[in-house]
């Protein structure tokens, strides 16, 4: 089973993933915890490029999209597909839906570009995706409390509103795969809601 977790900044994805990881381990299931962009040494290097704020030049939106998919291709081949082939449970902090929400809905890149990448480089979509949804301000306050902001976290509220509407669109179009969790609830309540869907 391939499970991904999506949402804007600071909505508590990491807390939910940890809880589910512990839950599956207690059941003696083989479970892999991973994240995007990243998940392999090479993909983590690409992540550093993507999140770094110290660029002397502005990263173009196309470069950002292509780096996301370069990291994803590596991650799929090295980690996700082999783990699924061994019947492991894969818990992935963000996946291709983030590219639609951030690069298309947020940055304004065309859906055709994304479709081309998904059709050619994403052999497997998650079986279930949890979208942790909360008002943007709430998540941004949490993100600020965590310390220095990365390149995405420095974006304005209006950008994250667009990202949120991107997730909403995916949710409307894929109600079977993507489940919305109310991330204003306590971590225990969010966990219980996720378990019910599973
Ligand atoms: P992440 O570490 O999950 O950020 P956070 O913990 O703050 O939610 O992801 C890093 C950033 O990368 C995040 O701001 C969203 C962005 N991102 C994209 O823009 N497109 C993508 O395809 C992915 C996977 C992430």
């Amino acid at each position: 089973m391939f499970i991904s977790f999506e949402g804007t900044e600071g909505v508590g994805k990491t807390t939910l993933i940890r809880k589910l990881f512990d839950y599956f381990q207690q059941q003696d299931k083989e479970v892999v915890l991973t994240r995007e962009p990243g998940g392999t040494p090479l993909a983590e290097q690409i992540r550093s490029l993507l999140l770094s704020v110290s660029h002397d030049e502005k990263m173009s939106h196309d470069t950002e999209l292509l780096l996301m998919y370069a990291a994803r291709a590596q991650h799929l081949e090295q980690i996700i597909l082999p783990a699924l082939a061994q019947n492991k449970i894969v818990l992935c902090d963000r996946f291709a839906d983030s590219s639609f929400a951030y690069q298309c809905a947020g940055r304004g890149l065309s859906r055709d570009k994304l479709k081309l990448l998904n059709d050619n480089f994403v052999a497997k979509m998650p079986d279930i995706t949890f979208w942790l949804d909360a008002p943007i301000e709430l998540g941004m306050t949490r993100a600020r409390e965590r310390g220095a902001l990365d390149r995405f976290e420095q974006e304005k509220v209006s950008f994250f509103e667009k990202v949120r509407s991107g997730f909403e669109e995916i949710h409307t179009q894929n109600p079977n795969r993507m489940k919305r969790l109310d991330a204003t609830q306590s971590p225990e309540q969010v966990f219980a809601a996720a378990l019910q869907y599973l």
Side-chain angles (χ1 to χ4, degrees):
M1 186 162 42
F2 180 16
I3 310 173
S4 66
F5 302 82
E6 299 284 1
T8 45
E9 320 299 301
V11 288
K13 280 183 287 111
T14 312
T15 308
L16 174 61
I17 295 169
R18 278 256 143 239
K19 279 183 182 291
L20 283 172
F21 182 78
D22 293 345
Y23 171 82
F24 285 128
Q25 277 206 323
Q26 278 160 17
Q27 297 199 338
D28 287 331
K29 303 251 197 266
E30 285 203 278
V31 48
V32 174
L33 200 168
T34 188
R35 70 170 178 184
E36 290 210 347
T40 84
L42 180 54
E44 288 289 330
Q45 282 190 295
I46 300 174
R47 177 191 178 88
S48 301
L49 284 173
L50 280 160
L51 299 193
S52 167
V53 282
S54 60
H55 294 296
D56 292 333
E57 61 184 279
K58 185 182 174 300
M59 185 182 291
S60 85
H61 295 342
D62 282 342
T63 303
E64 184 179 283
L65 177 73
L66 292 168
L67 285 176
M68 290 293 176
Y69 276 83
R72 183 160 299 132
Q74 190 69 14
H75 188 213
L76 270 166
E77 191 175 301
Q78 298 288 319
I79 304 288
I80 298 178
L81 296 179
L84 293 175
Q86 293 164 20
N87 280 322
K88 293 179 182 168
I89 297 172
V90 176
L91 304 180
C92 192
D93 188 344
R94 296 192 184 281
F95 193 64
D97 295 322
S98 273
S99 298
F100 178 81
Y102 282 77
Q103 278 68 54
C104 288
R107 302 289 196 214
L109 290 181
S110 82
R111 286 144 198 254
D112 288 349
K113 283 183 182 170
L114 192 89
K115 186 173 180 321
L116 188 142
L117 291 167
N118 280 333
D119 287 351
N120 287 282
F121 302 106
V122 180
K124 175 89 181 102
M125 281 299 281
D127 299 299
I128 183 165
T129 298
F130 290 116
W131 169 34
L132 284 84
D133 187 34
I136 299 303
E137 273 303 336
L138 183 82
M140 286 186 84
T141 308
R142 288 193 200 150
R144 272 185 225 112
E145 283 165 2
R146 288 200 298 236
L149 300 178
D150 66 37
R151 200 170 58 82
F152 287 96
E153 290 165 344
Q154 291 187 352
E155 289 293 337
K156 295 194 220 58
V157 172
S158 58
F159 172 78
F160 292 110
E161 293 291 0
K162 286 189 249 174
V163 172
R164 189 182 179 192
S165 67
F167 285 127
E168 182 127 55
E169 187 178 330
I170 301 170
H171 179 239
T172 307
Q173 286 174 359
N174 305 271
N176 288 331
R177 174 174 66 85
M178 184 182 263
K179 305 299 177 192
R180 180 184 174 276
L181 301 177
D182 176 0
T184 63
Q185 302 177 105
S186 71
E188 289 70 30
Q189 285 172 316
V190 174
F191 175 59
L195 272 191
Q196 226 161 28
Y197 281 123
L198 285 173

